[in-house]
Amino acid sequence: SRASLLTGQYPHTHGVVDNTDRSPLSHRLVTFPRVLHDAGYETGYVGKWHMGVDGSPRPGFDDWLSVKGQGSYFDPEFNDNGRVVKAKGYVTDLFTDRAIAFLRKPRTKPFCLYVSHKAVHPDVEQRADGSLDLTKAANFTPAPRHAQLYAGAVVPRRLNVMDPLDGKPALQREIAGLPPLGLATGTKDEEVLGRLRMLAAVEESTGQLLAALDEMNAAQNTIVVFTSDHGYFYGEHGLSVERRLAYEEAIRIPLLIRWPATVKPGVRESSHVLTVDLAPTLLAACGTNFPHVVEGRSFVPLLHGQPREPRTPFLIEHASDDVFPRTRGLGYDAVRTHRYKLIRYREHPGFEELYDLRTDPYEMKNLAREPAAQATLHELEKTLEQLKKHP
C-alpha cells in the first residue's frame, strides 16, 4: 500500500507485493515526489519507508530521514541523508521535529513533504530477510505522556465481532499453533487502547504541522493530505492483527484533505476514491503528471466540487505473504461495487465470498452458494477478470 500511495499503481504493476526485501525495486520506483522534484519542487521524506529493510535515501528527495525496516519507537537509529545516526526520544516526536524543520527552511521553490509515521504498528523486530518476529506483536507502545490515556475506557465494537464465520472457509481453516477464530481470538480492549494511545502522538504531530503552515502563512495554498494504509481488525470476524483481508474494516482508510484556496471546509464526499488515485491527483493539482501510464485516476474535479467519472466497480488485491500465520496462503483478488463485494482467494478455489453490502454491511452472510445470487456472482466474476487486466 505504501508503494501504491507513492506510485499510483497496483501491486501487480509496481511489484512491491509484500514487506520482504524489496529494496532494489523500491530504489527504481517513480514516485510522485520524484516527479515533482524533477518539475522544480524541493522534496523531503520523513518516516518509515518499509518497502524492504533498507533505510537509505531514494531518488527524488532533497532531504531524507528514515529508518531501517520497522525501526524502533525509542531512541531510534536513523538514516539521515545517507548518514546513520542514533537519536534520543520517541520516534513520532522525532519525525515531527524533522518535518517542521523542513517546512520552516527558507526557500524559493514550492515544496513537497511526505511524512510517514511508524505509529500505529507494534514494536516488533524485523529479521534480515524482512520477515517479522511476532513474539512482541501485541506490544503497542505509546509515548510516556500518553501511557494512561483512556484508562478504563470500554472499546465500542462492530456487530460482526459476533460473526459465527458460517460460509467463511478461508477463516475456518485449521492452522497449526493457532486457536480457531471466534469471540476469544479478537483484539482485547487494552490492546486497542494501546493503539489509540499511540495515535495521540500522531494527532499532536498533525496539529503541529498545520500550526507551522499557519505560522508561515503557507496554509492557503498548501495541499495537506492525511491518510493511512489499511488498519487493524478490532475483533471483527474474530480477527485482530491480520488486517490484510478484503473486509470493509481493512479496505476503508481515512482520507482528509485541506486546501483552503480550493476546497471548502467541512465537505464530505461520498464518491469512491482509491489509494492509487492519490498520486495522480496530487500531480494534476500541481500541474504535472506521471511520465508513464498508471492505474490511478485524478480526483481533482471532486476537490473543486465538480463531478467526475464514477470509480466503481474497483479492484482490490493482495498477494499472500508470511508475516501473519492466519493470512498465509490467502492471497486474493476482489471486486467491490456500490452494492456488492466478491472475494476470490487465489490458492483456494471454492472459498469465494459474496456479500450484499446494502443488506449486510457487516459481511456476515456469504451469498456465493445461494441459488438466487448466482447471476450476480457470475456477473461479478466477469467484472473481476476485466479489472485484473484493466483496473
Side-chain angles (χ1 to χ4, degrees):
S1 63
R2 294 182 187 89
S4 293
L5 282 166
L6 284 158
T7 66
Q9 297 175 330
Y10 271 88
H12 71 258
T13 299
H14 59 60
V16 182
V17 296
D18 54 29
N19 281 352
T20 56
D21 193 1
R22 303 289 172 180
S23 298
L25 176 60
S26 79
H27 275 275
R28 298 195 299 269
L29 292 177
V30 179
T31 64
F32 76 85
R34 185 173 177 179
V35 175
L36 289 175
H37 179 270
D38 293 346
Y41 277 66
E42 184 176 356
T43 54
Y45 189 93
V46 176
K48 174 180 173 180
W49 181 260
H50 202 202
M51 284 169 273
V53 297
D54 173 12
S56 66
R58 265 45 175 196
F61 293 101
D62 296 300
D63 192 26
W64 176 274
L65 185 79
S66 190
V67 294
K68 181 179 179 181
Q70 285 274 353
S72 301
Y73 276 105
F74 292 98
D75 301 340
E77 186 177 272
F78 287 142
N79 188 306
D80 186 346
N81 290 308
R83 185 170 60 95
V84 176
V85 297
K86 185 77 170 177
K88 294 285 290 183
Y90 188 65
V91 71
T92 305
D93 301 334
L94 295 169
F95 283 154
T96 302
D97 291 344
R98 178 58 167 264
I100 291 174
F102 176 87
L103 290 177
R104 288 178 171 162
K105 286 171 57 178
R107 60 172 54 87
T108 57
K109 296 180 177 181
F111 68 86
C112 170
L113 172 63
Y114 196 113
V115 181
S116 180
H117 283 296
K118 173 174 167 59
V120 65
H121 291 79
D123 206 358
V124 297
E125 297 295 327
Q126 185 155 20
R127 303 183 182 97
D129 64 358
S131 64
L132 303 181
D133 177 357
L134 295 177
T135 57
K136 299 180 181 178
N139 186 15
F140 291 88
T141 311
R145 63 185 179 278
H146 298 136
Q148 300 304 313
L149 195 63
Y150 314 127
V154 176
V155 176
R157 304 289 180 157
R158 288 167 60 83
L159 292 179
N160 47 8
V161 299
M162 306 297 293
D163 188 352
L165 305 184
D166 294 339
K168 290 184 173 67
L171 300 188
Q172 291 177 327
R173 296 176 306 151
E174 291 186 6
I175 300 174
L178 295 179
L181 284 176
L183 285 174
T185 58
T187 320
K188 305 298 185 291
D189 272 16
E190 189 56 30
E191 189 172 336
V192 176
L193 293 176
R195 301 172 187 176
L196 298 179
R197 290 170 184 135
M198 293 172 72
L199 279 176
V202 177
E203 182 175 335
E204 292 173 351
S205 170
T206 305
Q208 292 166 19
L209 291 170
L210 294 179
L213 291 173
D214 290 339
E215 293 164 7
M216 297 160 53
N217 294 318
Q220 189 72 7
N221 290 306
T222 299
I223 305 171
V224 178
V225 178
F226 183 97
T227 190
S228 174
D229 62 358
H230 42 281
Y232 294 102
F233 291 99
Y234 283 2
E236 299 89 353
H237 315 295
L239 298 164
S240 54
V241 299
E242 291 84 1
R243 81 177 183 272
R244 285 162 161 76
L245 298 173
Y247 301 117
E248 290 292 283
E249 294 81 12
I251 69 168
R252 297 175 68 94
I253 62 174
L255 178 61
L256 298 96
I257 296 177
R258 187 181 83 159
W259 187 10
T262 299
V263 179
K264 294 180 180 179
V267 173
R268 296 176 64 90
E269 175 56 57
S270 60
S271 300
H272 288 129
V273 297
L274 309 183
T275 295
V276 293
D277 294 342
L278 191 57
T281 298
L282 293 173
L283 290 182
C286 295
T288 186
N289 51 56
F290 278 106
H292 54 263
V293 175
V294 297
E295 288 103 354
R297 304 174 195 169
S298 168
F299 58 86
V300 164
L302 295 179
L303 301 180
H304 289 277
Q306 301 167 355
R308 76 156 189 173
E309 182 181 351
R311 195 67 159 107
T312 187
F314 58 83
L315 174 69
I316 312 160
E317 67 174 15
H318 175 61
S320 176
D321 63 46
D322 293 330
V323 175
F324 297 110
R326 187 83 64 184
T327 54
R328 187 173 297 137
L330 278 187
Y332 60 80
D333 301 292
V335 57
R336 191 190 188 285
T337 70
H338 279 294
R339 180 170 181 176
Y340 293 103
K341 180 190 295 174
L342 171 65
I343 308 169
R344 195 165 61 188
Y345 296 98
R346 296 173 182 175
E347 296 91 349
H348 299 283
F351 278 21
E352 292 81 8
E353 297 176 26
L354 171 65
Y355 299 103
D356 184 340
L357 300 174
R358 183 181 300 169
T359 62
D360 180 25
Y362 297 102
E363 299 170 288
M364 303 271 275
K365 184 174 177 57
N366 181 9
L367 302 175
R369 298 293 173 264
E370 297 286 328
Q374 293 310 295
T376 300
L377 175 68
H378 295 322
E379 186 64 31
L380 288 172
E381 286 178 332
K382 290 191 293 184
T383 301
L384 180 55
E385 287 305 308
Q386 292 168 355
L387 287 172
K388 287 172 62 177
K389 297 174 183 175
H390 304 288

